[in-house]
Amino acid sequence: ERLNNLAVQRNQLGGPLPSLLWTLPNLRTLDLSENAFSGEVPTTIGLMQNLRVLRLHSTQLGGELPAEFFGIPNFSTLNIANCRFRGALSENFINFNQTLQEVIVAFNNFTGPIPVEAFEAAQFLEELNLQGNQLSGVISEALCNTRGTAFGQLAFLIVDCNIDCNCCDPVSDCG
């Protein structure tokens, strides 16, 4: 219960994660990236009320992000790139509008429209990487207007070539 940070990235660990891991109430940072962990993020992630940073990129984890995830207060950083996540990107990202700084969901199997309004509402969003999914939509002028390099400004905005965006960072394979 006293554990605040758990970082085991790049350790060649694998298999399903113990269910107890997703119930640690004081955990602020969970970094399991670049391992071979498998399974899905369970609904009990909602019990992790102090979680700020979740880095699961380059693992075998997947499934849909449970609705309970969006009830975590003060959440700031999500990096689940290069995994097996699927489904729609939730409009409930708007729940993090006061704290969200990074959303990196590149190279998964997310489908449907980009929840642009949710990302527009994020007052401190600095990185949004949506490429390598089957998303659709238009990046709004309002979101483009948050671009910049100062704290709380959107420094990185990366989407696929099929997304209409006048201010996104270039993707090398657009031709």
Side-chain angles (χ1 to χ4, degrees), residues 61-127:
L61 293 167
E64 295 187 15
L65 289 174
E68 291 79 0
F69 166 73
F70 297 98
I72 299 172
N74 302 313
F75 187 81
S76 68
T77 302
L78 176 67
N79 187 340
I80 56 172
N82 299 308
C83 292
R84 297 179 177 180
F85 288 94
R86 67 184 187 300
L89 285 179
S90 177
E91 288 286 345
N92 288 329
F93 273 101
I94 201 165
N95 295 350
F96 306 133
N97 69 336
Q98 298 288 320
T99 58
L100 194 62
Q101 293 177 316
E102 286 182 25
V103 177
I104 305 170
V105 297
F107 303 105
N108 279 284
N109 293 304
F110 289 109
T111 57
I114 297 171
V116 175
E117 292 173 2
F119 296 130
E120 285 174 355
Q123 297 178 19
F124 301 103
L125 189 61
E126 296 177 351
E127 183 167 358

Side-chain angles (χ1 to χ4, degrees), residues 30-47:
L30 179 58
D31 188 343
L32 307 174
S33 59
E34 298 181 43
N35 283 294
F37 293 120
S38 60
E40 297 186 2
V41 175
T43 59
T44 53
I45 193 172
L47 300 173

